[in-house]
Amino acid sequence: MFSSTISQRQRISRMLFLFITGAALFVFLCSSVDVYSFAPLGAIYELLWLPTLAALVVVPFIALKFWFDERFKLFSFNLYTVLIATVAILFIVLK
């Protein structure tokens, strides 16, 4: 079958990192662009804003759990996932 040197937890960590990076980009782009000026863009925004906010709240806790299991490695995708989510949440709150 499929053999790889990357463990399942590392794959999940990378997926969480990419997912939260996409969510943060969504937050930053939607705050800088008038999403309601073009109807399809406004519809996409309306569909994605709640799942994005939920991801920004839930995913950092999962990443913290994985980071704790890694014994707090400094060069871990989980650490950067938490940092990106924190910056995105602070951007939303302080904007």
Side-chain angles (χ1 to χ4, degrees):
M1 193 153 175
F2 180 71
S3 157
S4 177
T5 59
I6 301 174
S7 72
Q8 186 69 22
R9 282 187 178 259
Q10 288 175 333
R11 283 192 201 124
I12 293 171
S13 295
R14 287 182 182 177
M15 287 184 349
L16 289 176
F17 175 76
L18 291 174
F19 185 64
I20 211 68
T21 303
L25 285 173
F26 177 78
V27 167
F28 297 140
L29 287 175
C30 287
S31 68
S32 64
V33 174
D34 182 20
V35 293
Y36 295 112
S37 64
F38 186 57
L41 186 61
I44 292 170
Y45 172 76
E46 288 291 330
L47 287 173
L48 294 178
W49 74 269
L50 187 60
T52 301
L53 289 178
L56 286 173
V57 172
V58 173
V59 170
F61 289 109
I62 298 169
L64 277 174
K65 165 71 169 88
F66 283 173
W67 193 43
F68 177 75
D69 291 344
E70 290 179 340
R71 296 192 175 104
F72 303 108
K73 284 185 185 176
L74 189 58
F75 298 108
S76 169
F77 279 107
N78 297 314
L79 170 63
Y80 299 114
T81 300
V82 172
L83 291 175
I84 290 172
T86 304
V87 168
I89 291 170
L90 286 174
F91 181 78
I92 292 169
V93 171
L94 298 176
K95 180 182 172 226

